[in-house]
Amino acid sequence: MTDVISLLTFSDTSKAFTAYRSTVVDVDNQSASHPRKTPRLDADSDSGSASRSRDSVKGKNVDRGGPVRIQVHGFAGGIVGSALNKVSDNLFVRLSRSIRALLEKGSNELSTTYEGVYTACRGVVCVAGRGEGLYEMLKAEIHRCVNRLAEELEKTNKEGVEWIGHFVETCAWFEGQVALLESLLTYLDRAYVLKNPSLPSIHDLAFTRFRERIFSGYFIVEKLQKGISTWVTWERNEGQVHIHRPFLKELVSHLITHHVYDAIFERHFVEQTREYFSKESYQMVEVEKAKAKVFLAHCNQRTNEEQGRARDVMLDGTIALVKDAAIRALFEGRLEWMAKEVFMECKGTADLKKAYALFSSVDGLPVLCREFKAYVQKTVQDLVKDASKDDEMVNRLLEFKSFADTTLKEAFLDPSTKQNNQDFSYGLIDAFTKGFKARRNKPAEQIAKHVDRLMRHGQRGISDAAFEALLDAALALYRFTDDKDVFRTFYHRALAKRLLLERSASDDFEKAMLKKLKEKYDPEFGMGDHMFNDLALSRDIMREYHARIRDDSSAKKLSVMVLQRSVWPFLAREKDVDLPSSMQADLNHYTTFYKIKHQGHKLDWDHSLGTATVKARFAAGPKDLTVSLYQAVVLLLFNKETEIGYRYILEETRMDDGELKRTLQSLACASKKVLKKRPVGKDVNDNDVFYFNPEFTDPRAKVHINSIQAKETAEENQRAQSHIEGDRKHYLDAAIVRIMKAKKELSHEQLKNETIDAVKSHFVPDVSVIKQRIDGLVEQEYLRRDEEDRNLYIYVA
């Protein structure tokens, strides 16, 4: 037994203890203050002052300058030589048995306590210095353990998800035992392994061997992936959560622990997802012939299910991969079909929003945009070409445009900017523009007539802002037409009728509309100012005329509008209706007055847009009938005769045959029949006989009879079209001559392009028409062809 003196032997010159000055030493009680404490009081006071004060009070003898006595308790002395080897061998054997027992599944043969294992490890590593042998023994035991586990997993009879449950249990047991060994063999890890950087820690040693043996073997990996496929296929087919889904959550955790999640689980799961949904897509579309809307809903449901399953079981990074694999597999080879069908079947923005999101997730937006443009163009073409519903064309276009705009705002949004997808916006504009070209001139004509109806009907109880919105919506369609001159012509004619027949809802709205058209759409809209000036001057002249005639004169009821022919879109009439003598006398009197006031001016009367108020006496009482001047002339004939044949009326009025038939039709065949005819029918024939209808009734005292001149006739429409075509020829001729005068010589292709560019603000001409105008100018010797190059034109000064 070695005493304490031999353990603490210092050289004679050492001052290891005498140099140390304790703050205070109590020889009787062997107590001293902590050597690392620092003074806190004055120079004569330190951290032991309080203790010394207490000792003085108790009368204890404190020796500040004496030697330090150290007493070691519980030390039994050291072990050396053969005795040490014998003890370490015993400890090593005990450790070996303990480690083997801990690494054997189901073993209860641990012969000592955990504390005994911990202490034995300290003795073997720190005292005996046998860390290397212990480490090698542990390595061998881990290898044997892992091999046993692998054999057990390979031999078990369980299959599918149940096998995964068994695998998870094995992983959990192994990881738990390794954690326990790390705690019990701490001295091996800290006192031996740390001094040898080339050696892995107990944790790394065990987990590396487990990964190499368990996850590198084909059989176990195949069983794992087969179980994963069985689980997810069952959930997809049944639409339910598998009872053993928790096994998969635990499996993912263990795979992550062993750094094999990507290789064994994620890649396999993504590939299995792709394969499963490719088959499902083929089954639905090719075999079951599912509709696009049904397939779209199915795709949304499936992607949501996959996303939810991945979120519950897998890592965050896998969620996006699984969702992407599912939607790409479902859409593979289906993008063109889906894009074409989705616009035919999905009319709600909610469905289209889902379609947009799905196409976006598979980089299919260019395909969707192309089909959206094609769908819009085809729809617009169909609406424009439906001649049987020309009167409804604009309303149908506006309804479809509203749907398209709503779709852009609510469904086709860029997720990053929350703004309309510009590709879709430009596609919509292009599609409408091309769709309008399916029927030249007609869309522009119908838009002008639609605006005319709005301006005649007025607000009708809606706010100024709402009425303005209706007008703006119609003009938004005007932007898509190339035939600006057609719109201008028909709007001009409609405006003239509204002003002359006093059918406009508001002069302020009329002027505001003309200003907007001129500033924002077409600089050529300057005719309105002159028209309003003519009306204002006419009212001034009428006030002066009425002031000069007698109060009892019939001309007091006369109202005349003097219009400049160059401003108003009406042709001079070759013949007009013969008015009753009293009416004609008043007009002659006014003509004399006007010529005296404006010498050199010539007045040509046009009664086609005139109106009159006729007092009629019916059995139910008198009525004031507001009629056209043509209708008034016909009705006044019945003051002399009760029945009049068609031919007689034609002779008396000398009215145009077509206009007379339309006039009689409005009086005898419409809803308000102030005349009747024999035989009864909707059409007027040369042998018809007309008579006054005394039984006519109406709840109002003043009755308006629809005037045929307020409506555009087929002849007027044809005249307008002819006028447009004539103007276009003049535009083209002037443009070609102006271009050639500036350029002197141009090839045919250059002249064609320059001409189109020059007149595009009015209309876009057909190439064949340009060629005809060029040939005409060559014949008129404004241009000539080059003698050597017949495709080259030269200006003739």
Side-chain angles (χ1 to χ4, degrees):
M1 187 70 66
T2 305
D3 58 13
V4 71
I5 300 302
S6 64
L7 291 173
L8 299 173
T9 302
F10 299 95
S11 63
D12 294 339
T13 59
S14 173
K15 296 182 179 180
F17 288 106
T18 57
Y20 176 79
R21 294 298 180 185
S22 174
T23 303
V24 58
V25 178
D26 187 346
V27 178
D28 295 332
N29 294 300
Q30 294 86 30
S31 64
S33 63
H34 198 282
R36 295 180 182 171
K37 290 188 177 178
T38 56
R40 292 179 297 171
L41 305 175
D42 56 350
D44 296 326
S45 302
D46 55 20
S47 58
S49 60
S51 177
R52 292 195 296 272
S53 298
R54 289 194 300 270
D55 292 339
S56 298
V57 173
K58 296 177 181 178
K60 294 181 180 179
N61 182 20
V62 179
D63 184 4
R64 295 191 180 94
V68 177
R69 189 178 76 180
I70 298 175
Q71 185 175 355
V72 180
H73 298 275
F75 185 76
I79 303 174
V80 295
S82 60
L84 178 60
N85 291 334
K86 184 177 181 179
V87 171
S88 66
D89 287 342
N90 291 336
L91 293 177
F92 194 91
V93 171
R94 187 191 307 171
L95 275 176
S96 177
R97 291 174 180 172
S98 299
I99 291 172
R100 184 175 295 115
L102 289 171
L103 290 177
E104 187 171 343
K105 197 174 181 183
S107 175
N108 295 317
E109 297 180 0
L110 188 61
S111 57
T112 184
T113 63
Y114 290 161
E115 184 178 359
V117 177
Y118 180 84
T119 304
C121 179
R122 182 185 64 179
V124 170
V125 176
C126 300
V127 178
R130 298 180 62 179
E132 181 179 358
L134 179 59
Y135 187 83
E136 292 299 324
M137 182 271 291
L138 174 64
K139 183 176 180 181
E141 290 298 334
I142 289 175
H143 278 232
R144 280 193 288 270
C145 173
V146 172
N147 288 338
R148 285 195 303 270
L149 295 176
E151 291 173 3
E152 180 187 347
L153 288 171
E154 291 171 358
K155 292 178 180 179
T156 183
N157 294 325
K158 295 181 179 179
E159 295 291 338
V161 185
E162 292 183 357
W163 187 90
I164 288 180
H166 180 64
F167 179 84
V168 165
E169 181 185 345
T170 300
C171 289
W173 177 85
F174 179 78
E175 292 164 13
Q177 295 308 102
V178 171
L180 180 58
L181 284 174
E182 285 185 86
S183 299
L184 298 179
L185 304 180
T186 301
Y187 276 94
L188 179 63
D189 246 353
R190 298 291 179 261
Y192 173 72
V193 175
L194 281 181
K195 294 179 181 178
N196 296 274
S198 61
L199 297 178
S201 65
I202 296 174
H203 176 277
D204 292 347
L205 176 67
F207 277 48
T208 299
R209 178 53 188 164
F210 190 85
R211 182 168 57 252
E212 290 174 351
R213 178 64 179 88
I214 300 298
F215 296 113
S216 298
Y218 173 78
F219 181 83
I220 293 177
V221 172
E222 184 185 29
K223 293 273 283 187
L224 270 175
Q225 294 180 344
K226 185 177 180 181
I228 294 168
S229 299
T230 301
W231 157 70
V232 73
T233 302
W234 187 93
E235 286 202 354
R236 286 168 178 163
N237 292 340
E238 300 298 326
Q240 301 177 23
V241 175
H242 197 287
I243 190 173
H244 292 316
R245 180 186 280 192
F247 289 167
L248 276 298
K249 295 182 183 180
E250 295 178 41
L251 173 63
V252 167
S253 177
H254 292 304
L255 294 178
I256 293 170
T257 299
H258 294 282
H259 308 293
V260 292
Y261 171 78
D262 292 349
I264 292 180
F265 188 99
E266 185 178 78
R267 293 175 193 171
H268 168 74
F269 191 90
V270 170
E271 183 60 34
Q272 199 278 343
T273 299
R274 190 177 294 113
E275 181 180 344
Y276 178 89
F277 286 112
S278 292
K279 293 178 180 178
E280 185 174 81
S281 175
Y282 178 84
Q283 178 67 23
M284 284 196 69
V285 178
E286 304 296 337
V287 179
E288 299 175 8
K289 304 297 182 183
K291 295 290 186 181
K293 187 174 181 179
V294 175
F295 185 69
L296 175 65
H298 178 78
C299 291
N300 272 296
Q301 179 185 343
R302 281 306 207 183
T303 51
N304 290 336
E305 288 174 358
E306 291 303 308
Q307 194 171 12
R309 183 181 298 110
R311 186 178 290 113
D312 187 39
V313 175
M314 304 163 212
L315 291 181
D316 291 343
T318 311
I319 298 173
L321 294 176
V322 171
K323 182 180 178 181
D324 183 69
I327 193 59
R328 287 183 183 276
L330 286 167
F331 268 29
E332 186 177 8
R334 316 280 178 219
L335 286 178
E336 297 286 348
W337 169 76
M338 277 288 294
K340 288 179 180 178
E341 296 296 323
V342 73
F343 293 110
M344 301 303 295
E345 299 179 16
C346 300
K347 300 302 182 183
T349 55
D351 289 335
L352 292 174
K353 186 174 183 178
K354 294 176 183 177
Y356 182 87
L358 289 174
F359 274 80
S360 177
S361 64
V362 295
D363 304 322
L365 288 183
V367 176
L368 186 65
C369 182
R370 184 172 65 249
E371 291 303 327
F372 172 70
K373 180 180 175 182
Y375 166 72
V376 172
Q377 182 175 332
K378 176 68 166 54
T379 304
V380 172
Q381 287 176 346
D382 291 343
L383 294 176
V384 166
K385 291 164 68 175
D386 189 357
S388 63
K389 296 182 178 179
D390 276 350
D391 291 341
E392 303 173 25
M393 179 193 296
V394 176
N395 283 328
R396 296 168 72 193
L397 286 170
L398 287 172
E399 183 180 353
F400 180 69
K401 178 66 163 49
S402 176
F403 162 74
D405 288 341
T406 303
T407 301
L408 283 180
K409 293 177 182 177
E410 298 181 5
F412 299 158
L413 293 177
D414 190 321
S416 58
T417 62
K418 300 300 181 184
Q419 300 293 324
N420 294 351
N421 187 310
Q422 292 300 310
D423 292 337
F424 284 79
S425 298
Y426 295 144
L428 177 66
I429 295 172
D430 199 31
F432 261 88
T433 302
K434 290 181 178 178
F436 273 30
K437 292 179 180 179
R439 193 177 176 198
R440 301 302 297 266
N441 299 350
K442 202 62 179 180
E445 174 190 338
Q446 291 301 326
I447 293 169
K449 292 178 178 179
H450 179 81
V451 175
D452 173 52
R453 287 192 290 271
L454 290 176
M455 299 300 287
R456 281 191 284 113
H457 294 162
Q459 294 174 253
R460 293 193 173 183
I462 65 175
S463 65
D464 289 354
F467 185 62
E468 189 80 13
L470 291 176
L471 294 173
D472 288 342
L475 293 181
L477 295 179
Y478 172 55
R479 289 187 183 277
F480 300 131
T481 179
D482 293 331
D483 305 310
K484 300 292 191 294
D485 57 336
V486 175
F487 178 88
R488 189 165 57 244
T489 298
F490 281 93
Y491 187 87
H492 192 188
R493 295 173 62 84
L495 173 63
K497 285 189 176 184
R498 290 197 301 274
L499 294 177
L500 294 179
L501 297 174
E502 296 182 348
R503 296 289 179 81
S504 178
S506 166
D507 283 354
D508 291 337
F509 266 121
E510 292 286 5
K511 292 177 181 178
M513 188 65 169
L514 287 169
K515 182 180 180 182
K516 179 183 292 186
L517 286 168
K518 184 175 182 180
E519 293 178 354
K520 295 183 178 181
Y521 297 91
D522 188 351
E524 297 293 325
F525 268 97
M527 80 290 283
D529 295 338
H530 300 295
M531 297 170 78
F532 280 106
N533 288 339
D534 282 356
L535 295 178
L537 289 173
S538 296
R539 293 188 188 102
D540 292 341
I541 294 173
M542 286 308 303
R543 281 194 292 271
E544 183 179 350
Y545 174 71
H546 286 152
R548 293 190 178 187
I549 60 177
R550 300 191 312 273
D551 291 341
D552 60 348
S553 172
S554 60
K556 280 286 186 179
K557 299 178 181 179
L558 177 66
S559 177
V560 177
M561 295 294 176
V562 181
L563 313 175
Q564 301 178 66
R565 191 174 298 282
S566 60
V567 175
W568 297 77
F570 303 120
L571 299 175
R573 288 180 171 268
E574 297 179 0
K575 68 172 185 176
D576 210 339
V577 65
D578 284 349
L579 299 178
S581 56
S582 60
M583 288 186 180
Q584 191 61 51
D586 289 339
L587 294 186
N588 292 338
H589 188 266
Y590 177 85
T591 301
T592 302
F593 161 78
Y594 183 84
K595 287 187 175 182
I596 292 173
K597 187 173 180 63
H598 300 281
Q599 294 182 2
H601 288 198
K602 180 183 178 183
L603 290 180
D604 289 324
W605 293 95
D606 186 347
H607 302 315
S608 62
L609 294 177
T611 60
T613 301
V614 178
K615 290 186 177 295
R617 297 178 179 84
F618 300 100
K623 303 285 182 184
D624 288 344
L625 305 180
T626 302
V627 294
S628 70
L629 194 55
Y630 287 172
Q631 289 170 327
V633 170
V634 171
L635 288 174
L636 290 175
L637 294 176
F638 289 88
N639 283 334
K640 301 176 182 178
E641 304 288 342
T642 56
E643 289 188 2
I644 307 176
Y646 173 81
R647 296 183 185 280
Y648 178 80
I649 297 174
L650 183 63
E651 292 174 3
E652 288 293 311
T653 60
R654 297 178 62 192
M655 199 182 301
D656 179 78
D657 182 71
E659 287 183 344
L660 177 58
K661 286 184 176 179
R662 288 193 294 272
T663 300
L664 288 170
Q665 199 172 27
S666 67
L667 293 172
C669 304
S671 58
K672 298 175 182 179
K673 298 180 178 63
V674 294
L675 299 180
K676 288 188 175 183
K677 81 179 188 73
R678 291 193 305 268
V680 177
K682 294 183 178 180
D683 297 325
V684 174
N685 299 311
D686 293 349
N687 297 323
D688 288 349
V689 175
F690 298 85
Y691 57 95
F692 182 66
N693 177 22
E695 305 301 324
F696 174 79
T697 59
D698 194 278
R700 289 164 293 189
K702 294 183 178 180
V703 181
H704 174 73
I705 308 295
N706 289 329
S707 53
I708 50 93
Q709 71 266 33
K711 300 179 181 179
E712 186 180 59
T713 63
E715 291 81 357
E716 287 178 319
N717 188 286
Q718 186 60 42
R719 285 198 298 269
Q721 294 291 353
S722 299
H723 176 72
I724 291 169
E725 294 301 325
D727 284 348
R728 285 183 172 182
K729 291 178 181 179
H730 295 314
Y731 271 127
L732 288 172
D733 289 350
I736 293 169
V737 171
R738 186 166 59 250
I739 291 167
M740 290 302 299
K741 186 175 182 180
K743 301 291 185 179
K744 303 307 180 185
E745 62 179 47
L746 286 173
S747 68
H748 178 80
E749 190 68 20
Q750 290 173 327
L751 181 56
K752 180 194 74 175
N753 293 335
E754 292 271 2
T755 303
I756 292 175
D757 190 61
V759 301
K760 67 182 180 182
S761 61
H762 301 284
F763 64 99
V764 177
D766 291 333
V767 175
S768 60
V769 176
I770 295 176
K771 186 177 185 305
Q772 290 175 3
R773 302 319 304 162
I774 293 174
D775 291 343
L777 291 172
V778 170
E779 291 180 4
Q780 298 173 43
E781 298 184 352
Y782 285 96
L783 312 174
R784 67 179 178 83
R785 296 180 185 271
D786 185 76
E787 294 181 359
E788 296 181 359
D789 185 359
R790 304 298 293 172
N791 199 39
L792 182 67
Y793 297 102
I794 300 173
Y795 176 70
V796 178

